[in-house]
Amino acid sequence: MVKTDVAIIGGGPAGATVGTLVKKYRPDLDVTILEREVFPRDHVGESHLPAISAVLDEMGVWDKVEAAGFPVKVGATFKWGSREDLWHTDFLVGEKYEDLPRPAKFVGQRAKTAYQVDRSVYDKILLDHAAAQGCRVHQGTGVRSVGRDGDFVTGLVADPGLGEVEAKYYVDASGDSGVLRRALDIGVDSPTKLRNIAVWKYWNDAEWAETIGKGATRVQILSLGWGWVWFIPITTTRTSVGLVMPASHYRESGLSTEALYTRAIQEEPMVAKLLARATPEPALSATKDWSFVADRLAGANWFLAGDACGFADPILSAGMTLAHTGARKVAFTVLELERGETDPEWLKHQYDEGHRGQIRHHMQFADYWYSSNGHFVDLKNYCAEIASEAGVSLTPEDAFRWLATGGFTLDTPGVAAALTYRLRDIKYLTAEIVGERWGWELAKTNTWKLNREGTKKGVMAEYVGGRVRQTACLRRGAKVLPIMDVFKHLLNALHRETDSIRILEATVNAMVREDQIEIDRAPMLVVEAMEAMVTEGWIIGTLDPDRPCIKVH
């Protein structure tokens, strides 16, 4: 019999993140991680977004990951949308990548970039780090059965040899196996027409599509007429190359996954050239790539984390980011439950509602990406069906409004963002997809007032420093506006001013004076927050033709 405070099923990035952060902030708590495989082992999902880097730093594992020498990801290159040429997005908007010696520290530009990782190496680093922080890690130990009494987990039976495991809290970080989720009969929803399969293989000594400085690059996302190819250097010599296609295309083609994979490489000239002198590893892996979200992410004494919660199509490399950031919230929720100072049901609801909303928002954006792909000439009916079901047109302005239904104020409380991208980057992406530029909603009016209709004051969760803080917010239906950081200053300015330019100036000055935000960063942060508030209906604007409007460059 093993008795522990926190039992975690799965030692991948989500499980390791939960375990490490619980031990960091409460070293006295006993944490047990049960991992059915023995690391190292390969796993798909190699491309990061910058939000992960901050979590790695908080876990205290940044230096170990950096020392592994993984390629630095500065953005992505696409052949997608209505354009035939390649276009790219960068995390360092308006900045040239600074080629610093490695290993580097988590400061400056490196805090804004990401990694492309070999999961066999990366996951082992994280799990070993969890063990070094005091987690009891059992590899080669699967969970054979789950005991339950209604919604309460009574224990686990682990093989081989470990036997019964009893815990105060249980975390299902077992990936799409969903060990606890299935045992507790938690349903799943798939609110999308996307039914893709992914096929991939690893190659040695492939050329890089782009080399930026010493060891930095971009992930390549290249659409074919019937699917798309990823090309991700994950070490200096090893590259992950995969194919994503609708499951219906695979069935109707009558070809094997190996044949379709080979065909994809032959039809994509850039990838074929980069692999001309490379050697493929023998194993070809395949998996269904179906988006879903669990009906509940938390219960009486249990939580879901990582892919056990749900899965969003990998087109924007969301999976690992959702795993790390969601697992961080699970760890902080457990820590707060242990303190006993906050309503347990409120804590669980905040994680459940917030994280499920993020997964759904990623699905929403994926639907838009697929429906807007002009390269998918062989899949027009498929894309038309997605667009019809999603109710999205292909103009960037309409797409942006549609994406705003998922919210731009909650992804990173206090910053206008969604899908872990800053709002200006979302605007850029939606415009690039269809090859059409458009302006900002905030620039169309200049006399503003706060829309108070149907607005109620409430509290929302802020996850910081091992705590789940209750932060004041405004609520209108499903919309939530945090009263913190830039939004707090904007609300104060809206109480005093009606002129949009004066509101902008007052908010920028407050951020520089009270929050010590650099004067060159503050204006765009404020503009993005204003745009979010206008788009989501928190600000009602009218146009006075005798006064100027805000101009965004």
Side-chain angles (χ1 to χ4, degrees):
M1 167 72 73
V2 174
K3 291 194 174 185
T4 184
D5 294 308
V6 185
I8 302 171
I9 306 173
T17 298
V18 173
T20 296
L21 290 175
V22 168
K23 291 297 290 186
K24 172 180 178 175
Y25 293 109
R26 281 291 302 273
D28 58 306
L29 291 179
D30 190 87
V31 178
T32 300
I33 300 177
L34 309 173
E35 169 54 51
R36 69 180 180 185
E37 299 189 46
V38 176
F39 288 9
R41 54 90 177 96
D42 280 318
H43 202 287
V44 73
E46 297 104 346
S47 188
H48 283 195
L49 294 175
I52 294 177
S53 297
V55 179
L56 297 177
D57 184 59
E58 186 172 17
M59 292 169 64
V61 74
W62 163 273
D63 288 343
K64 295 177 183 178
V65 174
E66 171 67 11
F70 297 121
V72 176
K73 179 182 175 183
V74 299
T77 297
F78 296 93
K79 184 174 72 175
W80 201 273
S82 61
R83 294 169 51 174
E84 293 294 330
D85 61 332
L86 298 176
W87 54 275
H88 64 259
T89 63
D90 283 336
F91 303 134
L92 302 171
V93 178
E95 298 180 64
K96 184 178 180 181
Y97 178 70
E98 187 177 358
D99 192 20
L100 298 173
R102 298 187 67 188
K105 295 297 182 183
F106 182 73
V107 294
Q109 286 191 347
R110 289 307 306 280
K112 304 175 185 176
T113 57
Y115 289 111
Q116 296 172 184
V117 300
D118 185 329
R119 290 286 299 275
S120 67
V121 179
Y122 177 77
D123 289 13
K124 188 175 189 305
I125 291 173
L126 265 58
L127 189 57
D128 288 349
H129 181 73
Q133 304 314 299
C135 295
R136 292 194 284 173
V137 175
H138 299 272
Q139 297 189 52
T141 305
V143 173
R144 176 158 57 91
S145 63
V146 176
R148 59 176 291 194
D149 181 4
D151 194 51
F152 190 87
V153 178
T154 59
L156 310 173
V157 176
D159 283 334
L162 195 60
E164 295 183 21
V165 178
E166 286 188 4
K168 190 172 183 180
Y169 307 100
Y170 297 85
V171 178
D172 184 353
S174 63
D176 57 9
S177 297
V179 173
L180 276 185
R181 189 188 73 227
R182 296 175 192 274
L184 292 166
D185 298 319
I186 305 300
V188 299
D189 181 30
S190 183
T192 173
K193 286 291 182 180
L194 290 176
R195 295 288 186 275
N196 290 335
I197 64 170
V199 183
W200 69 96
K201 186 176 287 193
Y202 297 99
W203 296 71
N204 292 301
D205 302 319
E207 295 184 42
W208 283 19
E210 300 175 86
T211 301
I212 303 167
K214 299 175 183 177
T217 187
R218 297 184 182 94
V219 61
Q220 309 292 307
I221 303 294
L222 308 164
S223 66
L224 306 166
W226 47 278
W228 60 273
V229 173
W230 77 66
F231 184 94
I232 310 174
I234 55 177
T235 72
T236 55
T237 60
R238 199 175 191 221
T239 299
S240 172
V241 182
L243 164 67
V244 177
M245 59 187 159
S248 58
H249 180 83
Y250 165 63
R251 291 192 300 268
E252 293 164 7
S253 72
L255 299 175
S256 67
T257 52
E258 184 81 52
L260 286 166
Y261 182 82
T262 301
R263 174 188 165 191
I265 291 173
Q266 292 172 342
E267 290 186 6
E268 173 40 61
M270 185 174 77
V271 172
K273 181 180 179 181
L274 295 173
L275 297 179
R277 294 186 178 87
T279 304
E281 296 180 10
L284 179 75
S285 300
T287 185
K288 71 175 185 179
D289 189 14
W290 295 359
S291 298
F292 75 92
V293 60
D295 292 342
R296 288 195 298 147
L297 305 187
N301 63 340
W302 57 267
F303 297 88
L304 307 185
D307 283 356
C309 298
F311 180 82
D313 189 273
I315 186 62
L316 285 178
S317 307
M320 288 284 282
T321 301
L322 289 169
H324 275 290
T325 58
R328 176 177 178 269
K329 292 177 181 179
V330 170
F332 285 19
T333 302
V334 168
L335 292 165
E336 208 62 61
L337 288 169
E338 276 295 284
R339 292 186 183 96
E341 300 169 359
T342 307
D343 178 14
E345 295 309 310
W346 181 85
L347 289 167
K348 296 172 190 176
H349 175 73
Q350 289 295 304
Y351 169 64
D352 178 85
E353 180 183 53
H355 195 54
R356 290 199 317 127
Q358 287 184 308
I359 296 170
R360 286 179 179 275
H361 206 183
H362 278 275
M363 291 182 194
Q364 192 177 9
F365 205 17
D367 276 351
Y368 172 70
W369 273 66
Y370 279 89
S371 64
S372 64
N373 195 319
H375 293 282
F376 282 171
V377 292
D378 292 343
L379 299 175
K380 287 182 179 178
N381 292 336
Y382 168 73
C383 292
E385 186 178 8
I386 289 176
S388 175
E389 289 290 327
V392 60
S393 69
L394 299 187
T395 67
E397 186 169 3
D398 286 344
F400 186 73
R401 288 198 186 100
W402 178 68
L403 290 171
T405 62
F408 290 121
T409 61
L410 283 176
D411 190 84
T412 306
V415 178
L419 316 162
T420 72
Y421 285 87
R422 290 268 298 274
L423 185 141
R424 63 180 172 181
D425 301 323
I426 295 289
K427 282 179 157 296
Y428 174 79
L429 285 169
T430 56
E432 283 291 330
I433 290 173
V434 295
E436 179 184 340
R437 298 293 182 203
W438 64 286
W440 292 63
E441 291 295 309
L442 64 85
K444 298 177 181 179
T445 60
N446 53 20
T447 304
W448 290 357
K449 68 175 182 178
L450 181 65
N451 181 9
R452 301 177 181 276
E453 184 178 353
T455 297
K456 297 180 179 179
K457 289 186 177 181
V459 292
M460 58 170 286
E462 181 188 6
Y463 300 86
V464 59
R467 299 300 304 259
V468 184
R469 294 178 179 170
Q470 293 188 349
T471 298
C473 68
L474 297 179
R475 293 183 178 271
R476 183 190 297 111
K479 296 293 184 185
V480 181
L481 182 70
I483 306 177
M484 59 184 291
D485 300 332
V486 63
F487 296 113
K488 177 186 70 176
H489 298 307
L490 265 174
L491 287 169
N492 289 337
L494 281 162
H495 287 309
R496 301 190 305 269
E497 303 281 355
T498 59
D499 182 88
S500 62
I501 293 177
R502 290 180 181 174
I503 292 169
L504 171 62
E505 291 172 345
T507 306
V508 168
N509 291 335
M511 292 186 70
V512 172
R513 181 180 62 253
E514 299 178 28
D515 300 341
Q516 283 76 55
I517 302 296
E518 298 90 336
I519 187 62
D520 59 334
R521 289 185 58 232
M524 183 50 69
L525 288 171
V526 177
V527 164
E528 289 174 316
M530 285 176 160
E531 184 74 356
M533 290 182 68
V534 170
T535 305
E536 295 188 24
W538 297 104
I539 291 175
I540 296 177
T542 56
L543 178 64
D544 181 344
D546 296 326
R547 298 210 323 266
C549 296
I550 295 171
K551 294 182 179 180
V552 184
H553 302 287

